[in-house]
Amino acid sequence: MHVVKRAGLESPEYAPLIRGAYAVTTAIILGLTFYLKTQIRTRNDTTALEYDDPTPGSQQGRIVTTVAKYDLAEIAKLQKSTLFTAAIVVFMHFKFGYIQPLILQSLLPLLNLYKNPLFQIHVLGKPATDSLKRPWVPENPFAALTGANSSSSDSSNAAAAGSPPSAAGSESASSDHEESRKAR
């Protein structure tokens, strides 16, 4: 955001231009989601899709649907997210006078839409294989902070060594404790 400050984009004379860019970007995103919705309805892929409910604490268990219904539900989520974000950004701008969220939200949603599996499949025509295979699991942005990926590799390394994960961890912890005690 240093670029915004250095370029002087926070001055009031640029506000109408930035508001217009944000409005155009939001209109493009919503227009593309409606286009995607019509593409999904036109194709009407009735291939059965069965998957476990990814929402934590859900009582549903296994979900059986079609590809078209799944895609339409994902589009609805994207549209709600876009409208909710727009409401927050507009509120922050008009209530507190923030310009930076308008600038960011004029650029980032287009990149996010381009990376969206629905856009990749229905607009760019990529096959629904590998990372585009349904159901799509949203990435956890906190996985690196919580060590979600490293804990599975630690347990697999311990299993490969022939000892349970807790034993491998306790041996290294006790040796670290002994070394620190000897250093005193």
Side-chain angles (χ1 to χ4, degrees), residues 92-113:
M92 288 174 54
H93 174 65
F94 286 111
K95 179 71 176 174
F96 304 113
Y98 294 147
I99 296 286
Q100 292 177 352
L102 286 176
I103 295 170
L104 281 176
Q105 292 301 316
S106 294
L107 304 172
L108 293 179
L110 291 173
L111 178 64
N112 290 338
L113 183 66

Side-chain angles (χ1 to χ4, degrees), residues 10 13 34 36 40 45 51 59 83 95 125 128 149 174:
E10 290 186 332
E13 62 205 36
F34 283 111
L36 283 169
I40 293 166
D45 188 354
Y51 61 96
Q59 300 294 328
L83 292 172
K95 179 71 176 174
N149 295 337
S174 63

Side-chain angles (χ1 to χ4, degrees), residues 116-135:
N116 190 301
L118 289 167
F119 186 84
Q120 296 281 320
I121 292 169
H122 294 287
V123 175
L124 299 180
K126 293 186 178 181
T129 57
D130 298 329
S131 65
L132 298 177
K133 188 175 180 182
R134 295 169 186 91

Side-chain angles (χ1 to χ4, degrees), residues 35-145:
Y35 172 73
L36 283 169
K37 192 179 271 190
T38 58
Q39 288 286 69
I40 293 166
R41 286 184 179 151
T42 302
R43 289 183 184 166
N44 195 22
D45 188 354
T46 57
T47 306
L49 181 64
E50 187 175 341
Y51 61 96
D52 291 327
D53 190 6
T55 54
S58 175
Q59 300 294 328
Q60 265 187 319
R62 201 102 176 117
I63 296 176
V64 179
T65 186
T66 65
V67 169
K69 287 181 182 177
Y70 180 80
D71 287 356
L72 288 172
E74 292 296 313
I75 281 291
K77 288 179 191 176
L78 182 61
Q79 288 174 330
K80 287 178 188 176
S81 171
T82 301
L83 292 172
F84 183 73
T85 302
I88 289 174
V89 169
V90 168
F91 172 78
M92 288 174 54
H93 174 65
F94 286 111
K95 179 71 176 174
F96 304 113
Y98 294 147
I99 296 286
Q100 292 177 352
L102 286 176
I103 295 170
L104 281 176
Q105 292 301 316
S106 294
L107 304 172
L108 293 179
L110 291 173
L111 178 64
N112 290 338
L113 183 66
Y114 178 77
K115 290 180 179 180
N116 190 301
L118 289 167
F119 186 84
Q120 296 281 320
I121 292 169
H122 294 287
V123 175
L124 299 180
K126 293 186 178 181
T129 57
D130 298 329
S131 65
L132 298 177
K133 188 175 180 182
R134 295 169 186 91
W136 302 302
V137 179
E139 293 180 18
N140 182 0
F142 302 110
L145 297 175

Side-chain angles (χ1 to χ4, degrees), residues 174-184:
S174 63
S175 64
D176 290 342
H177 180 65
E178 286 178 31
E179 287 177 19
S180 65
R181 199 173 60 198
K182 288 178 184 176
R184 288 187 222 170

